[in-house]
Amino acid sequence: MLRSPDQLRRMHIFLPMVGIWAHLLFLQTAAQPCDPLTQYMKNGQCCQMCGPGTSMLMSSTCQEPECRICGDAEYQDKYTSEQKCQRQPYCDPNNNFRPPDNVLTKKTICMCKEGFHCSAEACITCVPHTPCNSGYGVKSEGNHLRDTVCEKCPKGTFSNEISLSGVCMKWTECGNGQRERQSGTDISDTICEETKRNHTLLISISVISAILVLVIAAVILCRKYGQRDARGNLKGCVESCIDEKVHLTGHKPITQPTDNEEEFMSPEMQSSQEESSLRTPVENEDEPSQEMSSDMGQRLTENGNFVTQENGKTYILSRQESQTHTVTD
């Protein structure tokens, strides 16, 4: 079957394109079996890689690789066919870095010690955090990457210390019965004190309490030591308490010595006792006795004369007449 020149020309163009498509399809089909994470291509075969934290030895085969665990200060963070692990960065303690954890499966990040932060974005060395002075509070504490952030204590708050973590505290509010002795500042708290009224009230309560205690004690003593007279009435509390006080203090009333006591008295004491018993009170002759005035029913005037009554009549006697009248009666 003869073909026209146009048909032959189209066939020459189409056949090369079919060959290119077939070659691309073959390459795509050959690459599909390999896992890009755990396998690698070698001599047209998919070979196994060593896992994270290890490296591959030279004696490894394609399907059975020999892996070596990474050493100190080394790491491998993915599957690999490399024959050595990667070096960990060095965290110099002299630059205020803390000791690294040295995890085999990831790269170590050098961290500053507590109280320090990186001096620059590259974090080559660490510098201490800046503390907040008195009158300032910590807005945000420093960490590995940044310094402490301080803020001025607003009205009504204070801070009286230099601190890396202290915040501004509120002033103390004086309660009932208190007054403000000293106002708060940004570096000191409010000072409160009791009012004078409260002092007076406390003193009054103390005095009243003391009086009540004394009264209760007196009542207890009176009930304990008081006596009843023949009529059945309770003797005066004050009298009983006085008697009890005399009894407790050891003072005895003065009485005449008994016969037994006289035997033990010295001669000097006996003579003194006899002299005192022989003494008689001396009466003032110018002054009338109480017995005379009471017997006659007389009374004195402002001038010292006696007034007497007889048969319903009142007579004023002179001092001499009254004495004579009294003696004759």
Side-chain angles (χ1 to χ4, degrees), residues 147-269:
D147 194 6
T148 307
V149 179
C150 304
E151 64 176 351
K152 182 72 175 176
C153 290
K155 183 70 174 179
T157 63
F158 75 101
S159 174
N160 57 359
E161 62 179 356
I162 300 175
S163 175
L164 291 171
S165 59
V167 297
C168 296
M169 298 176 291
K170 291 184 178 180
W171 291 343
T172 299
E173 295 183 1
C174 298
N176 295 331
Q178 292 182 327
R179 69 180 185 88
E180 187 178 289
R181 189 180 75 182
Q182 181 176 331
S183 300
T185 65
D186 59 344
I187 60 173
S188 62
D189 193 9
T190 302
I191 299 177
C192 302
E193 66 178 1
E194 299 293 332
T195 58
K196 293 183 178 179
R197 180 180 178 184
N198 278 2
H199 283 295
T200 305
L201 181 60
L202 290 175
I203 294 173
S204 302
I205 293 175
S206 301
V207 172
I208 293 174
S209 300
I211 293 174
L212 289 176
V213 171
L214 292 176
V215 170
I216 293 172
V219 171
I220 293 174
L221 289 175
C222 290
R223 287 184 177 179
K224 184 175 181 180
Y225 299 106
Q227 298 178 356
R228 295 182 178 275
D229 57 11
R231 295 180 179 179
N233 296 323
L234 185 64
K235 284 187 175 183
C237 181
V238 175
E239 198 175 299
S240 300
C241 292
I242 292 174
D243 293 341
E244 181 60 26
K245 182 177 180 182
V246 171
H247 176 72
L248 294 176
T249 55
H251 295 289
K252 295 182 179 180
I254 300 174
T255 58
Q256 295 294 331
T258 60
D259 295 338
N260 294 332
E261 291 175 348
E262 289 181 354
E263 294 179 359
F264 297 97
M265 293 176 63
S266 63
E268 291 80 2
M269 296 177 62

Side-chain angles (χ1 to χ4, degrees), residues 8 16 214 234 266 295 313 329:
L8 292 175
L214 292 176
L234 185 64
S266 63
D295 292 341
K313 297 180 179 180
D329 288 344

Side-chain angles (χ1 to χ4, degrees), residues 282-300 306 319 323 326:
V282 179
E283 279 191 30
N284 191 348
E285 295 180 355
D286 296 333
E287 295 295 334
S289 63
Q290 293 180 358
E291 294 178 357
M292 293 169 60
S293 61
S294 61
D295 292 341
M296 296 178 61
Q298 298 173 346
R299 65 178 184 274
L300 293 173
F306 285 92
R319 184 181 298 273
Q323 291 179 356
T326 304

